[in-house]
Amino acid sequence: MRRYLVAGNWKMNGSLTSVRELLAAIRQAQDDTAELAVFPPFVYLAEVAAQLRGSGIAWGAQNVSEHPSGAYTGEVAAAMLQDFGCAYTLVGHSERRALYGETDAQTAVKFELLQQAGIRPVLCLGETLQERETEQTECVVERQLTAVLDRVGVAALSDCVLAYEPVWAIGTGKTATPEQAQAVHAFIRSIVAKSDDIIAGSVRILYGGSVKSANAKALFAMPDIDGGLIGGASLNPVEFLDIAHATI
């Protein structure tokens, strides 16, 4: 059975004080409802690792370089993230694709480098509003996933997490209905199943896009939704834990 994962992407938010307060609140109130993970900005990874080590809460980075090392000012390599105990790292997030022009091919390279470093990639997939309105959702998601499959093979998906995040629902207050989200999650799983039924049945697929405690339970009740990649709501410990409790 797939265990729910509720992961908080803090994006470019926080301070040393707020990070300490947020982690303390999460640790104090956590239970075994679902697996929890947080994705702080790079500069807070050491603090997060120190606060969460031994807690059962995982942590990871929001991005990684497509290069293993070298003269790439401002970049962070997978091996460096390994030094800080990252269990997961996001790749292909819609903001990286849209704001920084990251391609499917770059995402696939990052995915591979993370796995070589012993870090589980959280591969983000999703379409823009224009792509949804022109009925390109399945084409876009399949293209993004296939780029990774072509590089690393389906077996690599046995040690990763997938996350469907419709771009039009991120930070907008709009959310895909549970049925809309389920349809895409089922489609993603069907792509994997073409190569391996067992991996398709075991890989976790998260939903990301304005998830809140008010809509989490309905989303998580869908058969192919295995938790959430939470944005703004993950900065509020009460809201974040309420979302985790919605997995019951």
Side-chain angles (χ1 to χ4, degrees):
M1 178 179 291
R2 301 185 301 268
R3 186 185 182 195
Y4 284 104
L5 170 62
V6 176
N9 177 14
W10 297 353
K11 305 190 180 185
M12 197 176 71
N13 293 294
S15 65
L16 192 56
T17 297
S18 69
V19 164
R20 288 171 176 167
E21 291 174 350
L22 177 57
L23 294 177
I26 293 173
R27 285 198 63 171
Q28 184 176 16
Q30 76 177 102
D31 54 32
D32 293 328
T33 303
E35 181 184 358
L36 300 179
V38 295
F39 295 83
F42 287 131
V43 293
Y44 298 126
L45 277 173
E47 181 67 24
V48 169
Q51 295 291 332
L52 294 184
R53 193 169 285 113
S55 69
I57 302 172
W59 62 90
Q62 299 173 16
N63 190 29
V64 67
S65 175
E66 65 191 280
H67 304 285
S69 64
Y72 302 101
T73 300
E75 292 293 290
V76 176
M80 298 173 182
L81 301 180
Q82 183 186 48
D83 281 343
F84 286 91
C86 291
Y88 299 100
T89 291
L90 305 180
V91 290
H93 191 279
S94 62
E95 289 160 3
R96 299 301 311 178
R97 296 178 190 265
L99 299 179
Y100 301 99
E102 293 188 6
T103 65
D104 296 338
Q106 288 173 305
T107 297
V109 172
K110 293 180 179 189
F111 186 105
E112 183 176 36
L113 287 174
L114 285 170
Q115 287 198 323
Q116 289 173 355
I119 299 170
R120 290 185 179 90
V122 178
L123 174 62
C124 301
L125 313 166
E127 82 284 12
T128 64
L129 179 59
Q130 181 181 12
E131 288 166 340
R132 170 163 281 273
E133 290 179 340
T134 54
E135 300 184 351
Q136 296 182 65
T137 296
E138 292 188 355
C139 178
V140 170
V141 169
E142 184 169 17
R143 185 200 76 224
Q144 292 169 341
L145 180 55
T146 299
V148 174
L149 289 172
D150 286 347
R151 183 172 186 92
V152 299
V154 70
L157 298 192
S158 64
D159 196 28
C160 83
V161 175
L162 305 178
Y164 169 59
E165 41 162 32
V167 181
W168 49 271
I170 298 174
T172 63
K174 299 179 180 179
T175 308
T177 66
E179 293 75 20
Q180 286 175 319
Q182 164 59 24
V184 181
H185 279 238
F187 175 71
I188 292 170
R189 209 175 292 284
S190 75
I191 296 172
V192 182
K194 291 177 183 178
S195 300
D196 194 302
D197 282 335
I198 294 176
I199 292 176
S202 63
V203 67
R204 291 184 290 184
I205 309 176
L206 311 184
Y207 173 76
S210 297
V211 178
K212 301 177 179 64
S213 58
N215 58 30
K217 198 167 190 67
L219 287 164
F220 297 164
M222 296 292 106
D224 289 298
I225 298 179
D226 305 312
L229 180 58
I230 317 302
S234 68
L235 299 171
N236 180 325
V238 174
E239 182 74 2
F240 184 58
L241 290 167
D242 281 349
I243 292 170
H245 295 154
T247 61
I248 298 175

